[in-house]
Amino acid sequence: MTGTTNRRPMLIAGLAALAILSSACDGAVSGNPSPTTPAPTVTTGTSSSNGDPFAKMTPCATLDQTLMGQGYAKAVPTTADTERSCTSNKVGDSDVALSLQAGQTIDENIPDRSKAFPGKLNGRALILEREPTGITGQCSIGLEVQPGSRALLAVGTSAKTTDQACDMAETFAKKLEPLLPKAG
């Protein structure tokens, strides 16, 4: 087996753990995101009657729309958090996970604050975190949806650097941001 093959289960496990536990990546994300053609299964709004801003969204449909046209497999629920988190992969390239977490802030569960960097995307607060589970080639971005809720996007690669994973996370965050309910 090659080193890349041996690291894949670690990357998937790390992304699943990150989707449940962590938030963020490296450097501010800037620019003006432009949404791709909306998928009919993704609904945005400001909030639901139960206070969950993600009540009308499905994480797998949202991740599929975010990764549309990039060659990723159809998103599937993670085994650890099937209701709030999904993952997708591009064989030989990377894994991407999305977790829609009501009741969790963008700055929760950051094990090494020296690797976490605040920023904004289209006026929305974010935290970008390099190697959130301590594995090279990982990056995550937590986007604030409401004070106390976040969308956590994580990228893990076995063949790329952490900088490349963070570049990918920033690109995907720009596509994800317009699909999220408005902050506040």
Side-chain angles (χ1 to χ4, degrees):
M1 278 187 170
T2 66
T4 300
T5 304
N6 290 334
R7 286 184 60 197
R8 180 150 170 73
M10 283 181 27
L11 283 172
I12 293 171
L15 284 176
L18 178 63
I20 296 165
L21 300 175
S22 192
S23 69
C25 206
D26 143 16
V29 177
S30 60
N32 297 316
S34 56
T36 58
T37 306
T41 54
V42 177
T43 305
T44 60
T46 55
S47 184
S48 71
S49 59
N50 67 2
D52 180 353
F54 304 116
K56 295 179 181 179
M57 296 180 70
T58 59
C60 289
T62 305
L63 183 58
D64 284 339
Q65 187 170 352
T66 300
L67 300 175
M68 188 183 307
Q70 301 296 311
Y72 284 84
K74 185 169 177 55
V76 295
T78 62
T79 54
D81 192 0
T82 59
E83 296 297 314
R84 302 186 313 165
S85 302
C86 286
T87 186
S88 180
N89 75 313
K90 184 189 290 187
V91 176
D93 185 75
S94 58
D95 297 290
V96 180
L98 174 64
S99 202
L100 302 177
Q101 301 172 328
Q104 292 184 267
T105 63
I106 61 171
D107 61 352
E108 281 185 51
N109 304 340
I110 299 174
D112 184 350
R113 298 236 175 233
S114 71
K115 294 183 177 186
F117 304 89
K120 293 223 180 241
L121 175 59
N122 198 23
R124 190 184 299 270
L126 66 81
I127 294 181
L128 184 134
E129 186 181 1
R130 297 175 59 82
E131 302 172 3
T133 62
I135 298 174
T136 301
Q138 285 189 347
C139 191
S140 67
I141 295 179
L143 293 163
E144 185 174 71
V145 174
Q146 293 180 346
S149 294
R150 69 181 176 194
L152 180 62
L153 179 75
V155 174
T157 71
S158 59
K160 296 182 180 182
T161 67
T162 299
D163 287 341
Q164 289 171 313
C166 286
D167 288 345
M168 293 171 69
E170 288 181 10
T171 297
F172 297 146
K174 289 176 185 175
K175 293 180 178 182
L176 171 64
E177 191 280 330
L179 303 176
L180 298 172
K182 299 301 174 209

